């Protein structure tokens, strides 16, 4: 029983998709990291409060098991199931953006993992 739990825990950590978020350009001043996925369906997570409305660069790593990652502009409310606002980006593979223009109107405040 315990080896099975260890195996599943290890796989979930290794196979999860991850989004690293930074408050400065060129991947400096990391404000947080959001991991999820490896599920059938959709999983939604707000960015950490230190990142809210402050993301200037990001790195997305999509696991081989997941179908993709969507970045959304609106913070998910406490009663909301899904992210909201405008879709700030979507990828099915690893994606990095070293600089987000200050005039870019699509903030990154919520992450959707697609399994």
């Amino acid at each position: 029983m315990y080896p099975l739990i260890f195996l599943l825990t290890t796989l979930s950590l290794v196979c999860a998709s991850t989004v690293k978020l930074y408050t400065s350009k060129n991947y400096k001043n990391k404000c947080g990291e959001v991991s999820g996925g490896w599920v059938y369906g959709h999983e939604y997570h707000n960015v950490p409060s230190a990142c809210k409305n402050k993301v200037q660069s990001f790195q997305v790593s999509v696991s081989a098991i997941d179908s993709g990652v969507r970045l959304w502009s609106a913070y998910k409310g406490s009663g909301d199931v899904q992210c909201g606002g405008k879709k700030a980006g979507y990828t099915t593979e690893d994606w990095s953006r070293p600089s987000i223009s200050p005039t870019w109107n699509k903030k990154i405040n919520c992450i959707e993992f697609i399994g």
Side-chain angles (χ1 to χ4, degrees), residues 71-111:
L71 309 173
W72 291 91
S73 64
Y75 213 67
K76 181 172 70 92
S78 61
D80 296 336
V81 175
Q82 300 178 4
C83 298
K86 295 180 181 178
K87 184 168 65 171
Y90 171 72
T91 185
T92 59
E93 56 191 30
D94 294 352
W95 177 34
S96 295
R97 185 154 182 178
S99 176
I100 297 174
S101 168
T103 59
W104 200 45
N105 64 349
K106 296 177 180 176
K107 307 291 183 199
I108 299 172
N109 287 306
C110 191
I111 313 288

Side-chain angles (χ1 to χ4, degrees), residues 26-113:
N26 298 314
Y27 319 116
K28 294 185 174 131
N29 299 321
K30 185 176 175 183
C31 61
E33 184 172 310
V34 181
S35 294
W38 206 56
V39 296
Y40 180 74
H42 301 260
E43 187 178 327
Y44 304 90
H45 297 277
N46 283 328
V47 299
S49 58
C51 303
K52 188 175 180 181
N53 293 319
K54 296 178 185 174
V55 175
Q56 290 300 309
S57 58
F58 61 85
Q59 296 171 310
V60 177
S61 175
V62 180
S63 77
I65 294 173
D66 292 327
S67 298
V69 173
R70 279 193 189 102
L71 309 173
W72 291 91
S73 64
Y75 213 67
K76 181 172 70 92
S78 61
D80 296 336
V81 175
Q82 300 178 4
C83 298
K86 295 180 181 178
K87 184 168 65 171
Y90 171 72
T91 185
T92 59
E93 56 191 30
D94 294 352
W95 177 34
S96 295
R97 185 154 182 178
S99 176
I100 297 174
S101 168
T103 59
W104 200 45
N105 64 349
K106 296 177 180 176
K107 307 291 183 199
I108 299 172
N109 287 306
C110 191
I111 313 288
E112 176 186 1
F113 296 97

